[in-house]
């Protein structure tokens, strides 16, 4: 088991948090060094340090954080041998498969063990995980990791092609998860492995919709019901500090003042136009030009009025968010570039097989054979 003690001990697996994007696992071994671009450290300095500590480099420049492993941190830090599942999907799958303390679960393939570590925590020591991987080197690595993390009793890891050879247990598991390229080829075997005395569930993780279609067909053919596909999309938010905006009261006051000013300008323009229309002793040519000017003026006035209005609104909008001297506030902003989905999750339910009802006890007379025995004995079963 990952350590549950308060302090880091020799031999513990820990998570070294260097930056938000640089997190790595480390097995603490007395006498060893840990070198990074954030300084050089001695494992001896880690031993006895409380989990969660910030440790400074011996040189005095740079620091790191030493954390207790959790499935979430393990997923962020693990050495990738394959594509892995992340927590948006893991938590969704775990909850929809109803994986809980004591659950018996199958997963294939094991891959880098990201999903496995979360399942192990959910099922605890009273549950069991059967994990299958047909890539030998990956299977060996996963076996070493499960042993190092103290999970060997909870996980049975098998090197096997589940599409060809099926699973090693029958009528046993509550939930089954397939993260393989051709899950439809394993559905028949999955049905054999799932319990038949209660409702059980299956989930298949596939990146393409064509794979989903084939999986759905196979699930239907093998009597699964309640087939539903979900897509999980992550929408990360960033926290930022911005200058505190003006209060609503101050903004409303500004709006009122701007309205008054706008009305004053409008009235002024009307008065100007009236003045221009008054007949003046001018030459016809000049009048014409004056008329044209009037029209232009009118047009200009209109344009100007419009421009003023637009400027006012822009100004108000800006001033609405104007800095004040009242410090800053924290806001959450959606990161504009959201990564696409990881995969489609196809869930289905397998209903229990109802027990075969025999006739009531009083009427249960075994079928007689010609020699007076009953059918069961006669057939030798
Ligand atoms: C994407 S990875 C699984 C990642 C894993 N869910 C995780 O979170 O780390 C898929 C794995 O399935 C294995 N695999 C593919 N087809 C298989 C099969 N028919 N039987 C067993 N393993 C299979 C591959 O070797 C690969 O390691």
């Amino acid at each position: 088991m990952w350590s549950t003690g308060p302090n880091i001990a020799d031999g513990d697996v820990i998570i070294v948090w260097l930056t938000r994007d640089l997190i790595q696992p480390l097995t603490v071994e007395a006498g060893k060094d840990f070198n990074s671009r954030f300084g050089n450290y001695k494992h001896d300095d880690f031993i006895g340090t409380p989990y969660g500590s910030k440790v400074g480099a011996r040189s005095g420049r740079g620091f790191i954080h030493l954390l207790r492993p959790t499935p979430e941190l393990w997923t962020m830090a693990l050495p990738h041998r394959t594509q892995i599942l992340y927590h948006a999907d893991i938590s969704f799958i775990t909850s929809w498969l109803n994986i809980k303390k004591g659950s018996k679960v199958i997963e294939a393939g094991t891959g880098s063990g990201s999903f496995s570590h979360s399942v192990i925590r959910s099922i605890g020591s009273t549950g069991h995980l059967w994990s299958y991987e047909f890539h030998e080197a990956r299977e060996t690595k996963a076996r070493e990791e499960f042993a190092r993390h103290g999970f060997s009793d909870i996980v049975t890891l098998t090197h096997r092609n589940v599409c060809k050879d099926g699973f090693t247990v029958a009528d046993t598991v509550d939930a089954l998860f397939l993260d393989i390229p051709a899950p439809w080829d394993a559905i028949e075997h999955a049905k054999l492995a799932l319990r038949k005395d209660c409702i059980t569930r299956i989930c298949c993780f596939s990146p393409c919709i064509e794979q989903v279609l084939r999986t759905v067909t196979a699930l239907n053919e093998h009597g699964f019901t309640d087939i539903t596909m979900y897509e999980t999309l992550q929408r990360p938010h960033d926290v930022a500090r911005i200058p505190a905006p003006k209060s609503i009261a101050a903004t409303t006051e500004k709006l009122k003042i701007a309205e008054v000013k706008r009305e004053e300008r409008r009235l002024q323009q009307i008065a100007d136009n009236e003045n221009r229309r008054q007949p003046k002793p001018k030459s016809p040519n000049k009048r014409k030009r004056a008329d044209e000017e009037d029209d232009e003026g009118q047009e200009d006035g209109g344009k100007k009025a419009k421009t003023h209005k637009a400027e006012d609104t822009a100004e108000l909008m800006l001033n609405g968010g104007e800095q004040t001297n009242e410090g800053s506030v924290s806001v959450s902003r959606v990161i504009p570039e959201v990564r696409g989905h990881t995969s489609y999750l196809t869930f289905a339910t397998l209903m229990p097989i109802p027990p075969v009802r025999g006739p009531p006890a009083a009427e249960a007379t075994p079928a007689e054979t010609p020699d007076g025995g009953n059918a069961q004995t006669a057939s030798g079963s």
Side-chain angles (χ1 to χ4, degrees):
M1 249 345 127
W2 283 330
S3 167
T4 50
N7 298 329
I8 296 169
D10 191 10
D12 278 4
V13 175
I14 64 167
I15 304 290
V16 182
W17 184 287
L18 297 127
T19 69
R20 209 152 38 138
D21 301 316
L22 189 56
I23 305 156
Q24 62 185 74
L26 179 78
T27 304
V28 176
E29 289 175 63
K32 281 205 164 182
D33 290 336
F34 174 75
N35 300 315
S36 75
R37 63 185 157 101
F38 299 99
N40 302 327
Y41 303 82
K42 299 246 170 260
H43 286 214
D44 289 347
D45 293 343
F46 301 163
I47 296 170
T49 305
Y51 273 103
S53 295
K54 177 178 172 179
V55 177
R58 285 201 168 189
S59 65
R61 296 185 61 182
F63 62 87
I64 54 175
H65 285 92
L66 308 179
L67 308 179
R68 187 193 304 284
T70 62
E72 289 79 9
L73 285 173
W74 184 252
T75 289
M76 292 163 87
L78 63 79
H80 284 219
R81 302 181 281 272
T82 59
Q83 295 265 34
I84 65 163
L85 254 68
Y86 291 92
H87 272 272
D89 289 312
I90 293 176
S91 48
F92 193 78
I93 298 165
T94 311
S95 92
W96 275 90
L97 287 182
N98 196 21
I99 294 175
K100 52 182 188 284
K101 199 168 164 33
S103 291
K104 302 209 166 12
V105 182
I106 279 180
E107 72 156 348
T110 316
S112 305
S114 170
F115 185 69
S116 330
H117 279 77
S118 280
V119 172
I120 290 166
R121 178 181 58 188
S122 299
I123 62 180
S125 55
T126 53
H128 202 83
L129 172 67
W130 285 267
S131 187
Y132 300 84
E133 173 58 59
F134 77 176
H135 188 287
E136 196 167 1
R138 287 179 201 151
E139 189 258 351
T140 308
K141 272 274 166 214
R143 187 178 298 284
E144 284 168 14
E145 263 170 17
F146 291 145
R148 200 176 324 128
H149 300 171
F151 299 145
S152 297
D153 290 347
I154 306 174
V155 191
T156 302
L157 184 58
T158 307
H159 175 227
R160 193 180 184 92
N161 181 341
V162 297
C163 295
K164 208 163 125 288
D165 304 318
F167 302 98
T168 49
V169 288
D171 291 343
T172 302
V173 297
D174 306 290
L176 196 145
F177 174 64
L178 297 175
D179 181 6
I180 53 176
W184 52 88
D185 285 334
I187 300 293
E188 188 181 355
H189 305 301
K191 189 175 176 178
L192 292 174
L194 287 164
R195 288 169 66 168
K196 307 294 177 307
D197 58 340
C198 62
I199 294 174
T200 56
R201 303 214 81 198
I202 185 170
C203 173
C204 303
F205 181 99
S206 298
C208 308
I209 201 74
E210 292 78 10
Q211 290 169 303
V212 174
L213 295 178
R214 294 189 72 170
T215 305
V216 169
T217 305
L219 289 166
N220 272 317
E221 279 171 7
H222 289 94
F224 285 84
T225 57
D226 194 17
I227 302 169
T228 316
M229 190 273 282
Y230 295 92
E231 182 187 19
T232 359
L233 293 173
Q234 253 181 320
R235 210 168 127 82
H237 285 238
D238 228 3
V239 176
R241 282 197 81 76
I242 60 159
K246 269 191 174 299
S247 70
I248 291 180
T251 309
T252 315
E253 194 51 40
K254 271 204 134 197
L255 269 168
K256 279 185 196 155
I257 294 167
E259 271 306 315
V260 170
K261 276 190 190 162
R262 193 180 293 157
E263 182 60 12
E264 281 171 6
R265 272 203 301 271
R266 195 179 69 83
L267 293 173
Q268 187 60 50
Q269 277 165 7
I270 292 168
D272 289 351
N273 288 342
E274 281 298 315
N275 283 341
R276 282 198 202 112
R277 281 208 187 91
Q278 296 298 323
K280 284 177 194 160
K282 285 179 187 169
S283 72
N285 276 351
K286 275 191 176 170
R287 187 179 300 138
K288 188 167 178 281
R289 271 217 306 278
D291 285 351
E292 281 166 1
E293 276 167 16
D294 276 355
D295 287 349
E296 281 161 17
Q298 178 71 31
E299 219 181 286
D300 268 9
K303 268 187 201 161
K304 271 179 196 154
K306 272 186 207 155
T307 318
H308 278 310
K309 199 169 176 181
E311 279 169 5
D312 284 349
T313 315
E315 187 199 326
L316 277 166
M317 285 174 76
L318 277 174
N319 284 343
E322 194 181 70
Q323 288 190 30
T324 67
N325 294 328
E326 292 161 18
S328 56
V329 290
S330 288
V331 293
S332 143
R333 284 201 280 233
V334 178
I335 294 173
E337 273 178 38
V338 178
R339 274 198 324 178
H341 83 145
T342 48
S343 262
Y344 298 112
L345 301 171
T346 310
F347 289 88
T349 301
L350 187 64
M351 297 306 282
I353 298 174
V356 182
R357 285 244 181 124
E363 295 166 25
T365 333
E368 296 239 327
T369 57
D371 62 356
N374 68 36
Q376 262 192 337
T377 349
S379 68
S381 56

